[in-house]
Amino acid sequence: MRKVKIKAVFFDIGETLINEGRIYGAWADWLGVPRHTFLAVLGGVIARGEPHMNVFEHFRPGFDLVAEEAARAAAGVPNGFGEEDLYPDARRCLAALRRAGYVVGVAGNQPREAAARFAALGLESDIAAMSAEWGVEKPSPAFFTRLCEEASLPASEILYVGDRVDNDVVPAAAHGLQTAFLLRGPWAYVQALAPLPVTPTYTIPDLDALVTLLT
């Protein structure tokens, strides 16, 4: 039974606000791998609990992300997300929660340069930070300590919304935050096949459902 009122809602980025399907498809194209093959290998990586970068190593041993991103930029096909990758419920969810009086934050594992891309989307939020800016990333407890500090609220009054059991639900709950497990994207569907190690405060199919629950 939930006894503590939620005052702030923080969102993960990849597969929570941003659909990464086009992004991974572009990497498959760059590596010269059929998209369905690339995604099948990604699914295996997720199922084994490996770092997602292992999918690149599988197709190109010694894969250097910095060098490959520079090469893509030079070729006119830069990596990164944009307006076309935003899930359609993301903008209205953040706006609705702010209107309802919640502190709305965005904090996920992203490189420093993603901050400018996110700002360009013009989403309504009170706090927005990339893990590289904080110098710590999920699932480290220090990430959630920093999140609570940024919100100026105790962990129990913050809801963290994410699509991953390992990076979002489990570490946020361990830190005392309330959690919403978002069932979309490859991590959510693969990880949901096994019994969850903790019970989320909410399990939701999309962000519209979250708005309904909280407002």
Side-chain angles (χ1 to χ4, degrees):
M1 181 176 182
R2 294 180 293 276
K3 298 180 180 179
V4 180
K5 181 180 179 180
I6 295 168
K7 295 183 180 178
V9 184
F10 272 76
F11 295 84
D12 175 41
I13 298 174
E15 290 305 330
T16 298
L17 303 177
I18 297 294
N19 184 335
E20 296 178 320
R22 182 195 63 82
I23 297 168
Y24 278 112
W27 274 116
D29 296 344
W30 179 256
L31 296 173
V33 178
R35 291 189 175 196
H36 69 283
T37 302
F38 185 93
L39 294 176
V41 173
L42 176 62
V45 166
I46 294 169
R48 292 189 296 273
E50 299 174 5
H52 75 282
M53 290 303 295
N54 283 13
V55 69
F56 298 97
E57 283 286 336
H58 179 86
F59 294 110
R60 186 169 294 177
F63 181 84
D64 184 329
L65 179 62
V66 174
E68 295 292 342
E69 285 188 320
R72 282 189 55 177
V77 285
N79 185 34
F81 57 80
E83 179 71 30
E84 68 272 27
D85 304 306
L86 192 65
Y87 274 110
D89 56 6
R91 190 177 299 280
R92 59 178 175 261
C93 174
L94 271 62
L97 293 181
R98 285 193 85 203
R99 286 196 304 270
Y102 292 97
V103 173
V104 173
V106 177
N109 286 355
Q110 293 285 334
R112 190 177 300 272
E113 55 269 23
R117 298 191 200 108
F118 185 81
L121 296 175
L123 297 179
E124 293 191 41
S125 65
D126 300 290
I127 302 164
M130 310 299 126
S131 60
E133 296 178 299
W134 286 353
V136 63
E137 63 181 28
K138 299 178 294 183
S140 169
F143 177 93
F144 295 98
T145 296
R146 179 63 183 271
L147 186 152
C148 294
E149 292 172 350
E150 293 289 330
S152 299
L153 289 169
S156 60
E157 296 179 355
I158 301 172
L159 177 72
Y160 192 78
V161 184
D163 65 295
R164 290 183 60 167
V165 175
D166 56 342
N167 262 20
D168 301 325
V169 177
V170 169
H175 206 75
L177 281 74
Q178 299 189 53
T179 59
F181 180 33
L182 178 59
L183 288 171
R184 70 175 170 205
W187 271 268
Y189 279 96
V190 172
Q191 293 179 340
L193 293 173
L196 299 186
V198 300
T199 301
T201 310
Y202 303 109
T203 297
I204 53 175
D206 52 45
L207 297 181
D208 290 330
L210 181 67
V211 173
T212 300
L213 286 167
L214 297 183
T215 63

